[in-house]
Amino acid sequence: MNFWLTVLGMLVVTFGSRLAGMFLTKPLPAFWNRFVRFVPIAVFTALITPSLEGTRGEGLPRLLAAIFCGFLAWRTKQLWIGLFVGMLGFWLLRELF
Amino acid sequence: MFWRGFRAIMPLYLGIIPFALAYAVTARAAGLGILETQALSVLVFAGASQFSAAPLLGAGVNGLAIILTTFLLNVRHLLYGVAVARVLPNMTWRERIVGAYFLTDESFGTFLASGVRDYRFLLGASISLFVSWNAFTLVGALASSLVPDPNALGVDLVFPLSFLALLIPVLKARVEWFVALCSGILAWLIVPRLPAGLGILMVGIAGSLLGAILTHNEIPTENIHLEDATREVA
């Protein structure tokens, strides 16, 4: 298949997924309202846990960095503090292990 | 408000810049031209699927297989769209279309974690990501031989860490922590064993169902207000 035709298909399925939910305008039944409240929690956890360990045998420093990051995000509610301290911690720990 | 959203994404540039560079280098190495490399960042604008598609496109793999993988990787955005439409029920059609085009994990997470209930914040966050992703796709595509390997630096850790830092402030009630714990365990078990994207979608649905079932005694608060407000405006 032609490159541009494939890219068009990728655009359609990606934009289509993003768009489909946005056009849900009618009020949802109570059950689905509660469902939607948990979507970011479930999806983000699913994005985090499988990628924490990494593929280069750096599982322990990565996990410890995540614990620093999570603790700071909880205490400070600031994205950048958790992120920067977590990454710095990872780079330091990686040298130690 | 637009610029507030725009700035809220900026800490994530730490991960976005090296990965846009890495994507562009991968795509160029796979034989895509500068225009093709950039077109994926502008038209598809989804990091993981661009990464997985670039080598396949370069190798001339069947387009349908690439499109199906892209669909699996990105179908979770459907759930994000539903959540955004719940929080911002008064969006116009144009706002829904534009908002959807630029919607990503990062802008959705930043928007919800901010507690700001304003379309302009979401758009600012999304455009901030779009501009940086595309600018550094271009840099990487032009200078593909000069860019070091970001994986060796371990910069890929920025993504789970930033999702974690966005998730934690959302977790308040005990039931939310419990759902996060169960989703995490389930994801750790099934995501590596399933095709990319499918596992994340399944955990997203299972975790949200669990949350909805566990909260069946709860009286919804925020949504009642939102729906009342919509009715008054209408």
Side-chain angles (χ1 to χ4, degrees):
Chain A
M1 202 194 282
N2 170 298
F3 173 85
W4 292 105
L5 213 56
T6 307
V7 173
L8 179 69
M10 292 172 73
L11 167 69
V12 169
V13 296
T14 304
F15 184 38
S17 300
R18 288 170 172 162
L19 198 58
M22 282 276 201
F23 274 91
L24 210 84
T25 47
K26 293 217 177 74
L28 289 173
F31 180 85
W32 294 107
N33 260 330
R34 300 200 308 274
F35 179 92
V36 166
R37 189 183 119 198
F38 286 94
V39 163
I41 296 172
V43 176
F44 274 48
T45 321
L47 290 170
I48 295 163
T49 45
S51 55
L52 262 188
E53 197 185 342
T55 51
R56 290 177 303 280
E58 294 169 336
L60 188 60
R62 285 171 71 104
L63 190 65
L64 289 171
I67 292 169
F68 288 150
C69 171
F71 179 76
L72 286 169
W74 176 57
R75 297 304 304 176
T76 66
K77 315 277 184 215
Q78 295 289 324
L79 171 65
W80 68 272
I81 294 176
L83 197 54
F84 280 96
V85 175
M87 285 310 291
L88 280 177
F90 167 67
W91 283 320
L92 283 175
L93 288 165
R94 191 165 70 154
E95 300 304 315
L96 297 176
F97 287 100
Chain B
M1 194 49 80
F2 176 88
W3 292 107
R4 223 179 120 187
F6 196 95
R7 281 193 304 271
I9 288 284
M10 285 183 167
L12 299 183
Y13 286 2
L14 180 66
I16 292 158
I17 291 171
F19 271 83
L21 293 172
Y23 153 70
V25 173
T26 311
R28 297 284 281 128
L32 300 188
I34 292 170
L35 178 67
E36 282 94 349
T37 302
Q38 192 72 49
L40 280 169
S41 283
V42 175
L43 297 173
V44 183
F45 184 43
S49 34
Q50 286 177 233
F51 251 106
S52 61
L56 303 175
L57 282 164
V61 170
N62 183 308
L64 283 177
I66 299 173
I67 294 167
L68 183 66
T69 310
T70 305
F71 175 70
L72 286 178
L73 281 171
N74 293 327
V75 68
R76 67 175 181 280
H77 289 90
L78 190 138
L79 302 175
Y80 296 166
V82 174
V84 170
R86 288 287 83 199
V87 175
L88 300 173
N90 296 321
M91 282 185 293
T92 63
W93 277 58
R94 197 179 137 268
E95 286 171 343
R96 281 170 210 272
I97 292 167
V98 173
Y101 189 86
F102 297 105
L103 188 66
T104 56
D105 297 314
E106 290 84 357
S107 59
F108 171 73
T110 308
F111 171 66
L112 277 200
S114 73
V116 179
R117 297 292 176 255
D118 190 319
Y119 171 77
R120 290 167 298 171
F121 184 98
L122 174 67
L123 188 68
S126 299
I127 297 290
S128 180
L129 194 66
F130 185 81
V131 168
S132 53
W133 180 250
N134 274 284
F136 284 89
T137 297
L138 183 62
V139 173
L142 291 173
S144 57
S145 56
L146 305 174
V147 177
D149 176 15
N151 279 322
L153 291 172
V155 193
D156 61 313
L157 184 63
V158 169
F159 293 101
L161 290 191
S162 53
F163 294 142
L164 185 67
L166 290 171
L167 172 70
I168 298 276
V170 178
L171 300 177
K172 289 184 190 104
R174 199 176 298 167
V175 60
E176 291 164 349
W177 283 95
F178 182 71
V179 168
L181 182 69
C182 293
S183 307
I185 293 169
L186 182 65
W188 184 67
L189 289 173
I190 72 167
V191 169
R193 290 175 177 78
L194 289 171
L198 183 61
I200 289 165
L201 178 69
M202 286 174 61
V203 174
I205 292 171
S208 306
L209 276 176
L210 177 68
I213 291 165
L214 290 176
T215 50
H216 66 100
N217 291 324
E218 236 173 63
I219 299 152
T221 49
E222 188 185 21
N223 283 308
I224 288 179
H225 297 311
L226 283 174
E227 276 152 27
D228 286 346
T230 329
R231 238 172 271 131
E232 278 164 25
V233 171

